[in-house]
Amino acid sequence: GNYAPCFASQQKAKAEGFNDVIYADVTATYIEEVAAANMFVVTKDGTVYTPDLGQILPGVTRDSIIQIVGKLMPELKLVVGQVPLDVLFEAEEAFCCGTAAVLTSIEHVSDGTRHRDFTPMGPVTSRIYKILTGIQNETHPDEFGWLVDPFDTDALARAAAESDGTAV
């Protein structure tokens, strides 16, 4: 992706002692994403929130986490939609994700007036990370069919066809 538009905001945040920027919508009411990653928030009642697509990056890792929470963590409630900043400031855990970073916990957020500290890699964040990396490393069952043997040309053709909507 083209992350250049994020650089000015990130430099300002770093000058103020932060590592990154959380972007909100134009009303400054709802979370959009982190500068170069998608964002998730976990509340006390076990609800996992992530912003809906629209203005945000449709990340592969974001989609994987949505599928993991939805299928493998039935005790949690998944909400994909508008995520009010108020939810973030009342949450128990927050993390961002992306292809390179995989999943990174957020330890502190501030909007200038409100501040919130999170325990790094809280229990829900840790479990999601363990499942995701376990699937990647083949130490957790791949219930989604994400892993494809690169030497199995038929499997590669099926995976390619599924990703572009054509039949094999």
Side-chain angles (χ1 to χ4, degrees), residues 69-146:
V69 172
K71 183 174 182 180
L72 303 181
M73 303 174 83
E75 72 282 7
L76 300 175
K77 178 182 176 187
L78 176 65
V79 175
V80 178
Q82 291 184 319
V83 183
L85 283 168
D86 291 343
V87 169
L88 172 63
F89 284 99
E90 296 168 7
E92 291 294 305
E93 302 175 43
F95 63 89
C96 56
C97 67
T99 302
V102 183
L103 189 152
T104 303
S105 63
I106 295 172
E107 295 182 26
H108 178 80
V109 293
S110 174
D111 66 2
T113 56
R114 297 179 290 182
H115 306 278
R116 180 78 166 123
D117 292 316
F118 302 103
T119 302
M121 294 301 280
V124 173
T125 304
S126 294
R127 188 161 164 232
I128 294 168
Y129 178 82
K130 185 175 182 176
I131 292 170
L132 178 60
T133 58
I135 293 169
Q136 292 171 335
N137 295 317
E138 300 183 43
T139 59
H140 190 282
D142 175 16
E143 299 181 37
F144 304 98
W146 293 338

Side-chain angles (χ1 to χ4, degrees), residues 23-102:
Y23 288 100
D25 69 334
V26 295
T27 67
T29 305
Y30 300 102
I31 296 167
E32 292 282 331
E33 63 186 350
V34 180
N38 297 114
M39 186 165 176
F40 288 80
V41 176
V42 182
T43 59
K44 292 177 190 173
D45 68 354
T47 302
V48 178
Y49 291 88
T50 192
D52 204 359
L53 294 179
Q55 301 300 316
I56 71 166
L57 175 74
V60 172
T61 306
R62 172 188 176 272
D63 184 59
S64 299
I65 291 170
I66 288 170
Q67 291 183 55
I68 287 169
V69 172
K71 183 174 182 180
L72 303 181
M73 303 174 83
E75 72 282 7
L76 300 175
K77 178 182 176 187
L78 176 65
V79 175
V80 178
Q82 291 184 319
V83 183
L85 283 168
D86 291 343
V87 169
L88 172 63
F89 284 99
E90 296 168 7
E92 291 294 305
E93 302 175 43
F95 63 89
C96 56
C97 67
T99 302
V102 183

